[in-house]
Amino acid sequence: MQDTLILILLILAGAIRAGTPLLFATLGEIFAERAGVLNLGVEGMMIMGALSGFMVTVRTGNAWTGLLAAILVGGSIGLIHAVLSITLRANQVVSGLALTIFGTGLSSFLGQKLVGVPAPDTFRVVRIPVLGELPVLGPLVFQHDILVYLSFLLAPLAWFLMFKTRPGLHLRAVGESPATADAMGVSVVGLRYLYVFLGGMLAGLGGAYISLALTPGWADGMTAGRGWIAIALVIFATWSPARAMVGAYLFGGVEAAQFRIQGTGTQVPSFFLNMTPYIFTIIVLVIATQETVRRRIGAPAALGLPYEREERG
Amino acid sequence: MTPHDEPPRNPIAPTAAIPCATGRDQTVQFLEMKGITKRFPGVLANDHVDFQVRSGEIHALLGENGAGKTTLMRILYGLYQPDEGKIAINGKAVTIRSPREATALGISMVHQHFMLVPPLTVAENVILGLKSTREPWLNLGEAQERIAELGRCYGLRVDPRARVWQLSVGEQQRVEIIKALYRRAELLILDEPTAVLTPQEVQEFFTILRQMARQGQAIIFISHKLHEVTALSDRVTVLRDGQVVGTMLTSATDRQRLAQMMVGREISFQRYKDPVNKGEVALELQGVWAQGDKGLPALKGVSLTVSQGEILGLAGVAGNGQRELAEVIAGLRPATQGKVVVGQKDVTNRSPAEIIAQGMSYVPEERMRVGTIVDFSVAENAILETHGQAPLARGWFLDYQAIGRYAEKLIADFDVKTPSQDTPVRHLSGGNVQKLILARELSRSPRLLVAAQPTRGLDVGATEYIQKRLVEQRSKGTAILLISEDLDEVLALSDRVAVMYEGQVVGVMPTSEASVEELGLLMAGVKKQLPA
């Protein structure tokens, strides 16, 4: 009995850890999509974040410098998408896909010599005094690394920004009706750049979390489709940061449970267990899509559409 | 509460105005535009236009499409820069480089397509782009109070907490005006504001505008509806081909004279019509249900018949199921229940090709998207439905000579103005595209013609032509279902009028027995005709 409880607790704590990179990336994509830009390059930005984070940490021996590098690299790739899709009005799907392919390939090439290198520094568990000693809640919430705590703060902060502040109102307006926002003196192009950049930075951060905290080290393709899951989570979350938290931990839980079950020496082939997060993605997407249709809370109306001021009407 | 549950409103008592009076001097020339000229490649859109507006006056700007009204207003609103000419506000010369600068000068514009963000609340829409008093937090509570206050002052009643998508079109328009007043607008530009309203809503809207004018607001009212211009405005300026034809007191002119100034020739308001000579039933709808684009029922049991030789006008405010109804008849939208009979044949949920074969012709609402393939030439568009038939085709091969002769004939018969039959339809004006579509559809001598908004956005000349052809076709024995949001058009052309409200036909009557008031009540859902 005691063992089962501990196992459940371990899975739940693992869910939070495994969900953290998803949460960062999902929040980032929510920002970009709320501004009306669909960025399918999340996977590419994450893996480049994972690689650059680890690479710089190996050079400097300090995980914080690696984290900073990952954020900048993610943001820069986001800016490439911004230039292509906002300024040049390229097709956002094509541009995003290209970035994912680009990021996956480039990270594989640049990371060849890093495979198997041990991490000189990682983000270790910081047990919060007093709170960390609480039964159940302590190990579940207050015995994590600092980036997990950061993500705890970030999601409510994002929600607050979006729905309670003036910049948040501008963000929502730009994604729903850019022409209106423009007419009201809100800079559509400026805000879109800003939030695509922010989205890239958060994706890079999520990637670095994988290579510096979750499974320290570098392995080719180590993000393993988490960027795609994040894009699905945006829909599941109905573009709301609060629900993004629920979704990220749900998926983190599937991932953590799958690891634990593999550890118990089950008869189920590991291939099937590895499949579960992706199958879960499809199921969740089907359910979430039906719900958004029913509750009329669909994607931002201008999502994926380049904005062009109407000339000569 | 849905907008339609509200009790009928009374006009605002004049005493309600006093606490909100702005105290602006009403004799002051607020705006002066002098010698405004704007050229676009190949077009002289504004040719030395002079235009003045006083505080407290409603000044109508009248002209056909392409006369230069919109260009002039876009210059005033900072969207275009004039090539020549000067603008002065309150006697001071100004340059207006952007809508933001226009707003700062007290100029606001209510666009024809509302500039509102549907998922946001009224208050959020109103304060969008404005600095908050509690930066960076939103001052929603304060905004809601001020909106309510403005609403009381001007009779602009709307719930500041409602989300915009939940509002009726009339309410959305009020939100637009509140937005302008909230920004302390002194000059309000209204671009064809009545196009989307029921007759009662128009009356209420005019009351609000007069009230605003009494309190010193200057209002520019852009329109091509003459009776509205004469009913509402103090002065009127008529534009034609980019030039001012004249500015005069509205009381010193009349509809006939304004029409002549606007078009440059005499226009007949009378549509000559033969008496109805009804033939057999061409279209019968029995309890048709269908879903709208959002998956909600858009048609809720529509039953109608249209006989050969008559025009049935289908009136209603936009978005009450008219578009969906046309699409069900044309085979473009599945009916979930009920029966559609064209001729004697049940064509419910059959393919468009089968329905066309039954003698149905369709002039769709969106002429550039559904009615034509804009990158195809005029000739190719002329044969979209008939390209498989002799003599236009022989087996799999198209006979371009025959197609050319055929297109040439349609162009001549329907007076389509195009550089050549090889010109892509994209380059034609709206009126000429519509003539081409009508030519294509009527050339098949249809049993039934479904015409959705056939004259929307067309100039007076093209409208007159299209309407004349529709009446002619009816007299030749075609059954015509005319779907239009323009009540004047419905009344002028139809033999019978049906009104749609929330997916149902709430009344059908002979046009001779229909009054604008009664139709308005039906359109607003206030009244429902009892089944005879």
Side-chain angles (χ1 to χ4, degrees):
Chain A
M1 192 61 204
Q2 191 71 12
D3 286 356
T4 329
L5 270 179
I6 289 174
L7 181 67
I8 289 174
L9 211 56
L10 277 173
I11 290 178
L12 290 180
I16 290 182
R17 279 165 52 77
T20 298
L22 291 174
L23 183 55
F24 282 128
T26 305
L27 287 176
E29 183 68 7
I30 287 177
F31 275 115
E33 290 196 16
R34 279 274 181 185
V37 181
L38 177 69
N39 188 350
L40 296 184
V42 182
E43 177 78 4
M45 298 188 294
M46 275 184 100
I47 195 143
M48 282 303 289
L51 175 78
S52 53
F54 186 69
M55 196 183 248
V56 171
T57 304
V58 168
R59 287 278 161 82
T60 64
N62 182 335
W64 285 101
T65 56
L67 190 71
L68 189 69
I71 290 172
L72 288 178
V73 165
S76 315
I77 301 177
L79 280 183
I80 299 177
H81 185 63
V83 172
L84 287 171
S85 64
I86 302 168
T87 305
L88 302 176
R89 302 193 187 94
N91 184 307
Q92 298 182 4
V93 172
V94 175
S95 160
L97 284 176
L99 286 182
T100 286
I101 295 166
F102 165 73
T104 316
L106 188 66
S107 65
S108 170
F109 171 68
L110 295 177
Q112 278 167 347
K113 289 191 179 132
L114 287 172
V115 179
V117 174
D121 186 20
T122 61
F123 288 97
R124 281 183 214 89
V125 171
V126 180
R127 190 186 280 245
I128 303 220
V130 189
L131 290 174
E133 309 308 325
L134 290 173
V136 186
L137 214 55
L140 194 59
V141 183
F142 298 109
Q143 296 180 17
H144 287 294
D145 56 77
I146 191 140
L147 296 181
V148 173
Y149 302 135
L150 177 68
S151 74
F152 286 165
L153 292 179
L154 203 59
L157 210 68
W159 181 86
F160 219 75
L161 173 81
M162 261 174 221
F163 296 104
K164 295 289 162 193
T165 70
R166 199 168 70 91
L169 179 63
H170 289 182
L171 165 62
R172 285 181 288 150
V174 163
E176 289 289 349
S177 179
T180 304
D182 193 21
M184 295 292 104
V186 177
S187 165
V188 177
V189 169
L191 285 188
R192 287 191 166 177
Y193 260 90
L194 176 68
Y195 287 109
V196 171
F197 181 56
L198 181 65
M201 293 201 296
L202 286 171
L205 173 59
Y209 185 82
I210 300 171
S211 66
L212 294 176
L214 190 64
T215 52
W218 168 253
D220 199 5
M222 74 184 302
T223 48
R226 284 187 183 84
W228 296 110
I229 292 178
I231 289 167
L233 276 177
V234 172
I235 299 168
F236 171 79
T238 57
W239 293 267
S240 152
R243 283 188 58 154
M245 226 167 167
V246 178
Y249 296 143
L250 206 62
F251 272 87
V254 174
E255 206 180 309
Q258 160 221 327
F259 264 113
R260 291 287 162 190
I261 292 168
Q262 278 189 27
T264 60
T266 164
Q267 296 297 307
V268 182
S270 63
F271 302 107
F272 284 100
L273 289 172
N274 289 340
M275 263 187 238
T276 44
Y278 310 107
I279 291 172
F280 199 57
T281 307
I282 294 170
I283 295 169
V284 159
L285 266 189
V286 169
I287 295 167
T289 312
Q290 281 173 344
E291 202 193 337
T292 49
V293 169
R294 193 168 49 78
R295 290 177 48 202
R296 289 194 66 149
I297 34 171
L303 180 61
L305 304 174
Y307 175 63
E308 204 165 352
R309 203 179 266 183
E310 185 195 345
E311 302 290 335
R312 191 79 236 265
Chain B
M1 185 161 108
T2 68
H4 312 292
D5 295 333
E6 287 179 31
R9 303 168 187 108
N10 296 317
I12 309 97
T15 47
I18 296 163
C20 331
T22 49
R24 290 182 193 106
D25 187 347
Q26 305 202 3
T27 54
V28 166
Q29 190 94 292
F30 180 77
L31 165 75
E32 172 149 34
M33 300 177 87
K34 216 170 161 50
I36 300 289
T37 299
K38 179 75 183 171
R39 292 177 197 88
F40 291 108
V43 190
L44 187 55
N46 281 161
D47 184 4
H48 296 91
V49 172
D50 294 339
F51 184 61
Q52 300 95 21
V53 184
R54 279 196 289 271
S55 288
E57 87 166 330
I58 301 179
H59 196 135
L61 189 57
L62 185 67
E64 295 199 82
N65 287 331
K69 296 173 297 191
T70 308
T71 304
L72 187 66
M73 289 302 109
R74 281 176 172 235
I75 288 172
L76 178 55
Y77 197 53
L79 288 165
Y80 296 150
Q81 295 309 308
D83 297 328
E84 285 170 44
K86 289 190 191 113
I87 304 175
I89 302 282
N90 276 329
K92 270 206 321 239
V94 292
T95 315
I96 306 171
R97 278 176 297 256
S98 70
R100 176 165 260 195
E101 291 187 13
T103 311
L105 289 165
I107 301 168
S108 254
M109 184 155 174
V110 175
H111 296 263
Q112 212 172 353
H113 307 286
F114 296 148
M115 289 289 192
L116 295 172
V117 187
L120 301 186
T121 66
V122 170
E124 284 176 327
N125 267 287
V126 169
I127 61 173
L128 180 60
L130 293 178
K131 276 258 185 297
S132 157
T133 48
R134 305 199 294 137
E135 284 295 311
W137 312 121
L138 293 172
N139 52 340
L140 278 175
E142 198 186 313
Q144 284 163 358
E145 267 170 48
R146 265 200 73 196
I147 291 165
E149 196 181 312
L150 283 172
R152 277 194 298 277
C153 275
Y154 295 98
L156 291 157
R157 291 212 279 139
V158 61
D159 175 10
R161 286 174 194 84
R163 296 200 178 270
V164 164
W165 63 263
Q166 298 169 317
L167 303 180
S168 73
V169 179
E171 287 174 305
Q172 292 187 17
Q173 191 165 47
R174 273 176 257 159
V175 177
E176 283 281 18
I177 293 173
I178 288 173
K179 234 164 82 176
L181 296 175
Y182 197 95
R183 287 164 171 72
R184 304 187 189 287
E186 296 186 61
L187 171 65
L188 201 57
I189 307 167
L190 302 169
D191 189 5
E192 309 246 350
T194 58
V196 291
L197 304 178
T198 64
Q200 274 81 7
E201 283 177 316
V202 169
Q203 284 314 311
E204 194 187 339
F205 181 63
F206 281 7
T207 311
I208 292 168
L209 293 184
R210 287 196 195 99
Q211 170 121 352
M212 287 168 53
R214 266 202 301 278
Q215 288 165 20
Q217 200 81 37
I219 295 169
I220 300 174
F221 179 81
I222 305 174
S223 183
H224 59 236
K225 290 190 188 164
L226 295 164
H227 61 273
E228 293 183 349
V229 168
T230 49
L232 179 71
S233 64
D234 302 312
R235 282 200 297 169
V236 51
T237 293
V238 183
L239 282 179
R240 189 172 74 224
D241 299 331
Q243 290 178 317
V244 174
V245 186
T247 298
M248 68 226 87
L249 287 173
T250 311
S251 53
T253 181
D254 59 39
R255 279 176 62 182
Q256 202 70 36
R257 245 186 298 170
L258 287 173
Q260 207 168 334
M261 288 171 79
M262 180 162 86
V263 186
R265 63 184 163 86
E266 281 205 48
I267 283 284
S268 137
F269 286 104
Q270 301 301 319
R271 297 278 173 269
Y272 174 71
K273 274 169 54 171
D274 313 321
V276 198
N277 187 8
K278 265 203 204 180
E280 50 190 87
V281 172
L283 170 70
E284 186 172 3
L285 301 174
Q286 295 172 3
V288 172
W289 286 67
Q291 291 193 336
D293 294 338
K294 296 220 159 76
L296 302 167
L299 299 179
K300 303 170 189 170
V302 174
S303 298
L304 273 181
T305 54
V306 190
S307 303
Q308 290 191 276
E310 74 161 344
I311 297 181
L312 176 68
L314 190 61
V317 179
N320 275 292
Q322 301 95 313
R323 184 170 60 85
E324 288 82 357
L325 183 67
E327 287 173 359
V328 166
I329 298 170
L332 299 172
R333 182 181 290 274
T336 49
Q337 273 182 53
K339 226 167 121 178
V340 182
V341 182
V342 174
Q344 301 301 319
K345 199 176 161 201
D346 182 352
V347 294
T348 318
N349 294 334
R350 293 306 179 83
S351 72
E354 283 173 275
I355 303 174
I356 289 169
Q358 269 302 299
M360 194 258 339
S361 273
Y362 177 41
V363 176
E365 187 173 329
E366 292 182 71
R367 58 185 80 102
M368 303 305 268
R369 203 174 67 82
V370 183
T372 51
I373 301 174
V374 291
D375 289 316
F376 277 24
S377 71
V378 169
E380 285 165 332
N381 270 290
I383 57 153
L384 283 183
E385 283 146 346
T386 44
H387 61 264
Q389 296 164 12
L392 303 177
R394 274 180 306 226
W396 284 21
F397 295 94
L398 292 174
D399 181 345
Y400 273 99
Q401 274 182 352
I403 291 169
R405 282 193 300 273
Y406 178 72
E408 218 45 68
K409 184 170 179 307
L410 290 189
I411 289 169
D413 285 356
F414 281 78
D415 190 30
V416 181
K417 292 201 182 68
T418 169
S420 82
Q421 52 165 284
D422 300 319
T423 308
V425 161
R426 184 185 292 285
H427 298 312
L428 265 53
S429 74
N432 285 309
V433 173
Q434 194 69 325
K435 285 181 189 170
L436 176 65
I437 294 173
L438 202 65
R440 181 182 75 207
E441 296 303 322
L442 295 186
S443 67
R444 290 189 286 115
S445 306
R447 183 202 308 261
L448 167 69
L449 174 70
V450 178
Q453 320 292 353
T455 63
R456 179 194 281 171
L458 303 188
D459 61 46
V460 176
T463 299
E464 191 190 19
Y465 185 85
I466 301 274
Q467 291 180 342
K468 203 178 80 195
R469 295 302 292 238
L470 288 177
V471 173
E472 267 176 37
Q473 194 64 31
R474 152 211 179 258
S475 300
K476 284 186 198 160
T478 296
I480 298 180
L481 177 63
L482 169 70
I483 301 174
S484 177
E485 280 150 27
D486 182 347
L487 199 50
D488 299 331
E489 174 172 270
V490 169
L491 287 171
L493 302 187
S494 316
D495 301 302
R496 288 189 301 142
V497 187
V499 179
M500 273 195 92
Y501 175 71
E502 299 222 315
Q504 290 179 315
V505 172
V506 290
V508 187
M509 64 201 81
T511 308
S512 52
E513 295 169 20
S515 72
V516 174
E517 289 71 32
E518 176 163 19
L519 291 175
L521 291 174
L522 289 166
M523 283 161 71
V526 177
K527 202 180 143 184
K528 209 166 180 174
Q529 196 185 44
L530 295 171

